Amino acid sequence: MRLVTVAGPPSCGKTAVLSRACGLLAAQGMRTAVVKFDCLQTRDADAYAAAGITAVAALSGGLCPDHFFATNLEEAWGWAAGTGRSAASSKRPGCATAARPICAGRWPCAWWTT
């Protein structure tokens, strides 16, 4: 399975980028899943469901979302693997400080890992 992480500030287009990318991958026969990391609430699951994309939300509550992401990525990976998908995306919340050196201020930012 491959993992794509998308990060960026609020309303920069992360959901739109992921929905479009998942649609393009589906057209090539690749099944995808999305794990949405956020702080308190999200309605993105509705947008992904409307696009036919399997998705789940992981909410950090009072924890720093970057630390929550780092400490829960293994569980998110396990969930995605259990869906039988060949690729998974994680969508990170606006602060995404760990992504800043990689993205150099270009948002939304995405990178592949294996």
Side-chain angles (χ1 to χ4, degrees):
M1 179 184 306
R2 301 206 73 169
L3 173 68
V4 175
T5 300
V6 177
S11 300
C12 72
K14 297 179 299 289
T15 301
V17 166
L18 275 177
S19 294
R20 178 78 172 135
C22 289
L24 292 171
L25 291 169
Q28 296 177 23
M30 183 178 285
R31 297 174 46 197
T32 61
V34 173
V35 178
K36 164 65 188 292
F37 286 90
D38 213 324
C39 300
L40 300 174
Q41 66 178 349
T42 181
R43 292 185 188 93
D44 286 0
D46 296 335
Y48 293 124
I53 301 164
T54 299
V56 68
L59 302 177
S60 67
L63 300 174
C64 165
D66 282 334
H67 290 101
F68 183 77
F69 170 80
T71 58
N72 289 281
L73 188 56
E74 185 175 345
E75 287 83 0
W77 184 269
W79 170 82
T83 66
R85 304 306 198 238
S86 51
S89 290
S90 66
K91 182 179 165 193
R92 295 179 62 182
C95 63
T97 54
R100 292 188 194 281
I102 297 168
C103 298
R106 293 179 296 273
W107 303 110
C109 176
W111 63 94
W112 281 96
T113 59
T114 55

